[in-house]
């Protein structure tokens, strides 16, 4: 959902004021322009609007139902009968607000790119050869000169330092592990962490060669160990993968609960770390040469480049 | 979610007392026995318990976010800042109860059939080496002697002949293409077809070598052409893949709409046909030798075999 992006916004001095009250929150004076996307199945909605005179995107997603507060929820809620038939009855349950929170993400100021990202769009599968990557994709990525300042803020502890679950500081094989925005850490069923490597010279899967095997194996073993130790989730319950294309071009790995159908874990975008390691062990230039299929939204500038190059 | 069952309970005269108050609702004195299933993405939970001395299943699912109450929701809610970094900030929003209801379904008395229906099975990721396949998986598959008679019936036109969308009768490179049972053919958003090969000597991905490349390339091109012609869906809108493990051991390929999050299209189970073709072109024994990861449910006999072999 609220996956972060390369973006052009100037990096402000980051602060982390968790727990602060909401008097001046950007949501209270948020003016809705339009709904960008919504999903009834996932209980989320993506809204484009204005905070004062600034463009903003507000994402609301209802929190998963927590086992640890379930008894309290059932006891302390108001019920209204809707339907009764034989052994079946349905109700509307009105719960105490603190047991029924809504995860809210605000992006402000939001760039056109943020807005586009969340606007529902047709999706097309592109098959990118190694040559296509070098002649179409890489020039496009470079021309965009996306900022990954927010990634550097994390690596330099200028932001989210309190969210870091584990760090291996080694400049070549090290990484930081932290919860993804999409995970509220309240239940492990939708566990979602991200490992961000300290190296800044690896944009994506495409840059990986056998040279990076020590980084990948270190990241896999220490990431899995940490998640088992901290959250009690063993490697056999984890899905560990890259995205290609990634949302931002600084190498990172997704750790999600196997039982959580996480957005972006589909075969058309995800690449299991265990497969990547084996492929590089067998052929150092595997990801340099292979055609990789990935989905692109109709409004993605890269899709236009592929069309211009007659590749679609 | 709360799809109803035929069950033995005598159908009482149904009454619908919508709006009735909840004083004597079965939920208030519901005693939780165990969680049957929960889905963090869909924000629902299935609970087995007792109402007085009767078995009951209670299903909670958060309501979708309503556009028509969105402004009121944003204005009248309390926010607590969680995190701020650059242009991104996240909050917990506490909404008025009447704007944030939870749909509640009660089945009481619940039969064993109801309980089983909603009971979730744990899933484990297995990493099967080529050796594991030959020593653990293959002997297990053979011992089960699952019947694929229904597949042969299709190939021989003894059943479902009217459902076949396309056939290439070639005994070595041919196949039949037909809609999957999950697809009602009423809209292309969830388009789902299956290609079943005429060859009967290929159980799964594991059996594929470069010898099968003519079959795979033929299946891909004619399958995609047919779907474009018949349903107007171009190859760039399709996800074309194998399952490993497959649900039946006669080689078949899944064609699903790229925009449909089809069950089993996750990276832990699906293998893109385009990747399989490339891997076999580079290494004829790729699928004989590689470790392949796949999920197994706790009640799957194969999982027991892997445990017995000390592989999990």
């Amino acid at each position: 959902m609220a996956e972060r992006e390369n973006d052009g916004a100037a990096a402000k001095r980051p602060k982390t004021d968790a727990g602060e009250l909401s008097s001046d929150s950007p949501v209270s004076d948020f003016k809705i322009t339009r709904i960008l996307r919504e999903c009834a199945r996932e209980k989320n909605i993506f809204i484009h609007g204005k905070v004062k005179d600034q463009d903003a995107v507000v994402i609301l997603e209802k929190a998963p139902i927590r086992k640890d507060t379930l008894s309290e929820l059932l006891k302390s809620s108001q019920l209204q009968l809707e339907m009764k038939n034989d052994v079946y009855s349905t109700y509307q349950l009105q719960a105490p607000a603190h047991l029924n929170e809504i995860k809210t993400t605000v992006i402000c100021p939001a760039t056109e790119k943020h807005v586009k990202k969340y606007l529902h769009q047709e999706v097309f599968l592109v098959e990118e050869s190694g040559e296509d990557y070098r002649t179409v994709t890489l020039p496009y990525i470079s021309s965009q000169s996306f900022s990954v300042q927010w990634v550097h803020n994390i690596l330099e502890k200028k932001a989210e330092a309190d969210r870091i679950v584990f760090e291996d500081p080694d400049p070549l094989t090290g990484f930081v592990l932290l919860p993804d925005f999409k995970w509220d850490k309240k239940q492990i069923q939708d566990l979602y962490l991200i490992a961000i490597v300290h190296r800044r010279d690896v944009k994506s899967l495409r840059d990986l060669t056998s040279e990076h095997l020590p980084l990948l194996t270190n990241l896999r073993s220490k990431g899995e160990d940490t998640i088992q130790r901290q959250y009690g989730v063993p490697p056999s319950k984890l899905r560990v993968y890259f995205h290609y294309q990634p949302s931002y071009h600084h190498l990172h790995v997704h750790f999600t609960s196997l039982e959580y159908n996480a957005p972006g874990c589909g075969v058309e975008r995800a690449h299991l770390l265990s497969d990547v390691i084996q492929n590089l062990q067998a052929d150092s230039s595997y990801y340099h040469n292979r055609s990789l299929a990935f989905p692109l939204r109709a409004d993605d500038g890269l899709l236009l480049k592929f069309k211009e190059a007659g590749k679609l």
Side-chain angles (χ1 to χ4, degrees), chain A:
Chain A
M1 304 293 97
E3 187 179 301
R4 286 182 285 189
E5 276 282 344
N6 297 307
D7 68 58
K12 290 168 219 73
R13 179 189 200 79
K15 48 184 168 68
T16 305
D17 313 326
E20 165 188 294
L21 261 185
S22 58
S23 46
D24 71 336
S25 95
V27 174
S28 41
D29 52 343
F30 176 72
K31 301 272 171 297
I32 298 172
T33 310
R34 58 175 172 165
I35 305 303
L36 296 170
R37 191 205 310 171
E38 64 187 316
C39 180
R41 184 176 168 211
E42 298 172 13
K43 285 74 182 180
N44 58 34
I45 191 161
F46 297 69
I47 317 159
H48 180 202
K50 296 247 178 211
V51 174
K52 295 173 184 96
D53 59 344
Q54 289 188 305
D55 267 294
V57 171
V58 170
I59 301 159
L60 302 178
E61 179 162 13
K62 299 203 174 184
I65 294 168
R66 289 170 54 184
K67 283 193 288 252
D68 59 339
T69 58
L70 203 48
S71 322
E72 190 186 350
L73 179 74
L74 292 175
K75 271 191 203 55
S76 57
S77 297
Q78 284 279 7
L79 274 103
Q80 187 162 52
L81 181 67
E82 276 191 338
M83 185 285 302
K84 186 160 176 38
N85 179 3
D86 193 40
V87 300
Y88 302 96
S89 52
T90 65
Y91 302 81
Q92 283 298 345
L93 183 150
Q94 294 191 354
H98 70 284
L99 297 179
N100 191 19
E101 293 184 319
I102 300 176
K103 167 90 167 179
T104 305
T105 303
V106 177
I107 302 167
C108 184
T111 63
E112 188 51 35
K113 193 147 182 308
H114 286 114
V115 175
K116 268 201 182 150
K117 168 178 179 164
Y118 297 118
L119 184 62
H120 175 75
Q121 290 281 338
E122 251 194 312
V123 180
F124 299 88
L125 197 72
V126 170
E127 273 199 44
E128 176 198 72
S129 67
E131 191 55 24
D132 295 336
Y133 174 70
R134 290 178 279 282
T135 59
V136 180
T137 306
L138 186 54
Y140 175 74
I141 294 168
S142 315
S143 73
Q144 298 296 298
S145 64
F146 294 122
S147 161
V148 287
Q149 185 56 52
W150 67 269
V151 174
H152 298 161
N153 289 343
I154 292 170
L155 295 173
E156 294 162 11
K157 318 291 185 316
K158 291 180 182 165
E160 304 184 54
D162 56 323
R163 299 182 71 241
I164 292 176
V165 172
F166 173 82
E167 175 171 22
D168 175 340
D170 186 285
L172 283 181
T173 62
F175 64 96
V176 300
L177 182 72
L178 71 170
D180 185 90
F181 267 5
K182 289 183 279 300
W183 186 39
D184 64 11
K185 294 188 289 179
K186 286 177 179 152
Q187 61 288 310
I188 61 158
Q189 76 199 90
D190 61 336
L191 176 139
Y192 199 144
L193 293 98
I194 298 283
I196 303 176
V197 305
H198 275 300
R199 286 184 70 147
R200 300 184 181 192
D201 61 346
V202 187
K203 283 184 291 302
S204 76
L205 196 60
R206 275 286 187 201
D207 288 340
L208 291 174
T209 67
S210 54
E211 178 220 340
H212 304 98
L213 283 168
L215 165 62
L216 300 180
T217 50
N218 181 59
L219 193 153
R220 184 185 185 182
S221 59
K222 289 182 181 161
E224 288 180 345
D225 291 351
T226 302
I227 289 169
Q228 172 126 45
R229 202 172 52 251
Q230 293 256 351
Y231 305 105
V233 177
S236 64
K237 311 275 281 175
L238 289 179
R239 186 193 294 111
V240 186
Y241 54 99
F242 297 94
H243 277 162
Y244 192 76
Q245 293 288 332
S247 336
Y248 51 95
H249 289 86
H250 177 113
L251 191 71
H252 58 284
V253 174
H254 304 254
F255 290 76
T256 61
S257 166
L258 184 62
E259 296 183 16
Y260 173 48
N261 179 15
C265 75
V267 66
E268 67 273 23
R269 190 174 181 201
H271 298 259
L272 286 181
L273 178 55
S274 56
D275 289 340
V276 171
I277 288 171
Q278 286 188 88
N279 288 332
L280 291 174
Q281 285 167 340
D283 174 5
S284 177
S285 60
Y286 187 99
Y287 291 101
H288 195 75
N289 298 333
R290 287 311 168 90
S291 285
L292 298 175
F294 53 84
L296 285 177
R297 292 151 41 100
D299 63 345
D300 194 310
L302 184 54
L303 186 71
L304 183 65
K305 294 296 175 190
F306 270 85
K307 283 182 175 160
E308 286 171 0
K311 305 288 185 179
L312 204 82

